[in-house]
Amino acid sequence: MARVEALSMSGATAIPAEYVRPQEERQGLGDAYDEAAASWSAAGTPRIPVVDVAAFDAADPGSPSSLAVVDAVRAAAESWGVMHVAGHGIPEDLIDALRGAGTGFFRMPIEDKEAYANDPAAGRLEGYGSRLAGSAGEDGKREWEDYLFHMLHPDARADHALWPAHPPEYVPVTKAFGEHVSALSSRLLAILSLGLGVPSDTLERRLRLTSGEAQVEDDLLLKLKINYYPRCPQPELAVGVEAHTDVSALSFILTNGVPGLQVLLPGDGQTWVTARDEPGTLVVHVGDALEILSNGRYTSVLHRGLVNRQAVRVSWVVFAEPPPDSVLLRPLPELLADGAETPRFEPRTFRQHLERKVLKKTNDQEEEEVVKKPPVVAQEEEKEVVKKPPAAGEEEEKGEATEPLVAGEEEHKVVKKEQSEQEEAKMAPVAANLVEVN
């Protein structure tokens, strides 16, 4: 597979056809710098909220300063599903070192980076790669990015043979960053628990507590993906990352200061808001897993990444997620007690959630293909389907998958959440402009 970096360095003035997004997906696409300038200069432009969590005291969560933090984080998670988090406690010099180490890896010649290449088809998901967009079929479109992906924390589960040996500071700096993000994840989950009116340890325990007879707390997993977005000669036709939601509980994002992240304005369904560079903050997304546990109170945010002609954009994304098979995701029982709320999500493991998303995407694509075909052809194919007997052991429950369908680091990307009809209706205004990914 040709790396996007090589395409960018070739001097071509047009991007290959496989990177050109469909017409219906180009709403608001353009050079990230131009889109940011237009968005930020317009009067009354919505801004992603900035919340400072430094004043939260885990030993005294009922203090006025702690409650103020809880209220601010809860409001951002409910109304936006994304926030800039200040007061996160990660030393600035460590963040600078992390940026330097990650950028140092991508500055190596492509042939040197290939030593770390992954192979999703063979089940080797971690490493250096370029990916087919999640919406892709046989003639699918690619995203304008290369990446490095690997387990970050707990360190005992990381395969350090897959971590870059160059630059030499990559391993120690990245390990240290993982420890800090783990602590920040616990801190934010405590704040978000209190925002739901439950004890501070509730969300993290639910993300770690196994569902077997002998319940034990498993590890909350942190996975790091460094996205490398080269310069693009036609940013109005391409995307760095297509519109999606993260399936994680929380996602933490750092960048090199180049704009590109956009989130869909909640309640609007049409307006993309370009994230500003807020010094001293991390961007934190609510993901699907947390939305499920909160029974939809917290919103898994729809977002995408733009590219530009001028500068390379690099982002560091840490996905905090439960173990894939041992933890059952479902709305917190405390929120459903005495019929206070109706559960909006069926119980599922993290892996089942991923499989359902892939299955839903596949079904939607098949339905779209039928719509595109001439009526006579579609009718003939329907007749053939009717003639076939049901396959042995065929699942009766719609939406279930019996085989793992997730390949590569795509597991971190989901667009439309499998929710109630009301939730589907909420997404209807943008359905025509978004390509679903897994």
Side-chain angles (χ1 to χ4, degrees):
M1 178 186 293
R3 300 303 180 192
V4 177
E5 180 183 7
L7 295 175
S8 177
M9 294 172 62
S10 70
T13 58
I15 62 177
E18 60 266 30
Y19 292 92
V20 177
R21 309 307 296 187
Q23 182 65 46
E24 64 270 16
E25 195 188 336
R26 297 181 199 168
Q27 177 188 355
L29 292 187
D31 188 291
Y33 278 104
D34 295 339
E35 295 297 321
S39 173
W40 299 345
S41 62
T45 299
R47 298 183 64 161
I48 297 171
V50 179
V51 296
D52 191 331
V53 300
F56 178 75
D57 184 357
D60 189 11
S63 67
S65 57
S66 293
L67 291 176
V69 173
V70 170
D71 286 343
V73 172
R74 175 193 51 74
E78 288 181 348
S79 60
W80 280 83
V82 61
M83 64 198 84
H84 293 276
V85 174
H88 46 68
I90 303 178
E92 198 62 37
D93 58 350
L94 176 59
I95 290 176
D96 290 342
L98 181 83
R99 289 189 177 113
T103 302
F105 170 77
F106 279 100
R107 283 177 177 164
M108 293 196 306
I110 292 176
E111 55 268 26
D112 292 345
K113 294 194 285 282
E114 291 292 353
Y116 301 95
N118 63 4
D119 187 355
R124 297 197 301 273
L125 312 183
E126 298 185 39
Y128 170 64
S130 306
R131 70 179 297 277
L132 196 65
S135 61
E138 293 181 358
D139 60 346
K141 301 300 182 181
R142 297 184 185 276
E143 295 173 322
W144 194 262
E145 71 153 338
D146 299 324
Y147 66 85
L148 179 67
F149 173 66
H150 61 73
M151 180 72 75
L152 176 62
H153 186 84
D155 189 62
R157 295 198 180 190
D159 184 353
H160 293 119
L162 301 174
W163 292 31
H166 180 82
E169 64 271 17
Y170 182 92
V171 172
V173 165
T174 305
K175 277 187 180 181
F177 181 70
E179 293 171 358
H180 280 279
V181 175
S182 178
L184 177 60
S185 177
S186 295
R187 185 177 181 84
L188 285 176
L189 288 172
I191 294 170
L192 288 161
S193 294
L194 294 169
L196 294 172
V198 297
S200 61
D201 64 345
T202 303
L203 285 173
E204 183 162 7
R205 288 188 72 254
R206 292 292 177 180
L207 288 166
R208 298 175 58 183
L209 193 64
T210 61
S211 57
E213 292 184 6
Q215 291 189 325
V216 297
E217 289 194 16
D218 204 341
D219 293 311
L220 188 64
L221 306 179
L222 302 184
K223 298 179 181 180
L224 172 66
K225 182 166 176 270
I226 307 177
N227 299 302
Y228 184 86
Y229 307 104
R231 296 174 183 86
C232 179
Q234 292 180 296
E236 70 279 3
L237 300 180
V239 292
V241 176
E242 63 189 354
H244 67 284
T245 67
D246 295 337
V247 297
S248 57
L250 293 171
S251 301
F252 302 84
I253 304 175
L254 281 171
T255 76
N256 63 343
V258 175
L261 173 64
Q262 289 190 320
V263 302
L264 192 66
L265 182 63
D268 176 278
Q270 297 179 359
T271 304
W272 289 96
V273 178
T274 302
R276 300 170 184 260
D277 183 24
E278 302 283 0
T281 70
L282 300 180
V283 174
V284 177
H285 288 169
V286 171
D288 288 355
L290 185 54
E291 183 177 62
I292 292 170
L293 292 178
S294 70
N295 201 34
R297 290 196 196 179
Y298 296 148
T299 300
S300 184
V301 63
L302 193 67
H303 57 286
R304 67 183 182 184
L306 302 186
V307 291
N308 72 84
R309 296 181 179 86
Q310 305 173 44
V312 171
R313 180 172 183 260
V314 186
S315 67
W316 289 255
V317 186
V318 177
F319 304 98
E321 60 190 45
D325 300 305
S326 60
V327 173
L328 196 64
L329 295 174
R330 59 186 174 186
L332 296 177
E334 296 91 333
L335 303 181
L336 311 179
D338 300 323
E341 294 183 19
T342 300
R344 297 175 59 188
F345 304 90
E346 295 179 1
R348 81 284 303 268
T349 65
F350 190 67
R351 189 185 304 279
Q352 288 170 338
H353 181 65
L354 299 175
E355 291 172 349
R356 292 181 184 191
K357 295 300 182 179
V358 176
L359 184 63
K360 177 173 174 53
K361 179 199 71 176
T362 302
N363 290 341
D364 288 348
Q365 287 175 344
E366 290 175 352
E367 291 175 4
E368 183 178 347
E369 288 303 314
V370 169
V371 170
K372 290 179 180 178
K373 292 176 181 177
V376 173
V377 176
Q379 290 171 9
E380 289 301 317
E381 290 190 356
E382 184 177 354
K383 291 178 182 178
E384 289 300 318
V385 172
V386 172
K387 291 178 182 178
K388 294 179 181 179
E394 184 175 3
E395 291 290 335
E396 294 183 0
E397 181 178 350
K398 184 177 180 181
E400 287 294 336
T402 58
E403 295 292 334
L405 299 176
V406 178
E409 55 81 35
E410 295 174 345
E411 70 178 33
H412 295 295
K413 303 189 67 187
V414 174
V415 167
K416 201 183 269 185
K417 301 172 283 294
E418 177 188 340
Q419 298 181 353
S420 63
E421 293 180 0
Q422 180 181 1
E423 186 66 19
E424 295 287 356
K426 184 180 76 173
M427 292 299 298
V430 297
N433 298 316
L434 299 177
V435 177
E436 293 196 356
V437 298
N438 65 311

